[in-house]
Amino acid sequence: MSLTAKEKEVIAIVEECADFGETLTVKDLRAELKENGGDKSNIHKIVKRLLEKGVIAENSDGNLELRRPG
């Protein structure tokens, strides 16, 4: 499975938040990208693609989680 640079950037942010025990919603993700000077356009489409690929998941609280293999 190949990922775009923008998808990799989103995954890195989700992973970083998970490492620090923080929760992250799509709204938080947009703010994080804006804060870091990243491109936040089409973020919902990117998140949807990553959800469809099974790379990330959205829990019942609406928080994004990295789906780790195994």
Side-chain angles (χ1 to χ4, degrees):
M1 166 180 46
S2 63
L3 299 170
T4 66
K6 200 161 181 180
E7 288 173 333
K8 290 177 184 176
E9 182 180 12
V10 168
I11 291 167
I13 292 170
V14 172
E15 188 172 30
E16 183 179 339
C17 285
D19 288 346
F20 288 104
E22 300 172 355
T23 59
L24 183 75
T25 63
V26 174
K27 184 177 178 181
D28 298 332
L29 182 58
R30 288 178 62 84
E32 184 77 22
L33 286 168
K34 184 177 180 182
E35 185 179 300
N36 292 337
D39 181 10
K40 60 183 176 53
S41 62
N42 298 322
I43 195 65
H44 287 282
K45 289 181 183 178
I46 292 167
V47 168
K48 184 178 177 183
R49 276 198 313 263
L50 290 172
L51 288 168
E52 288 170 354
K53 290 179 179 181
V55 177
I56 61 174
E58 190 170 10
N59 68 19
S60 60
D61 295 331
N63 296 316
L64 301 173
E65 302 173 333
L66 197 61
R67 298 193 80 189
R68 301 185 192 272

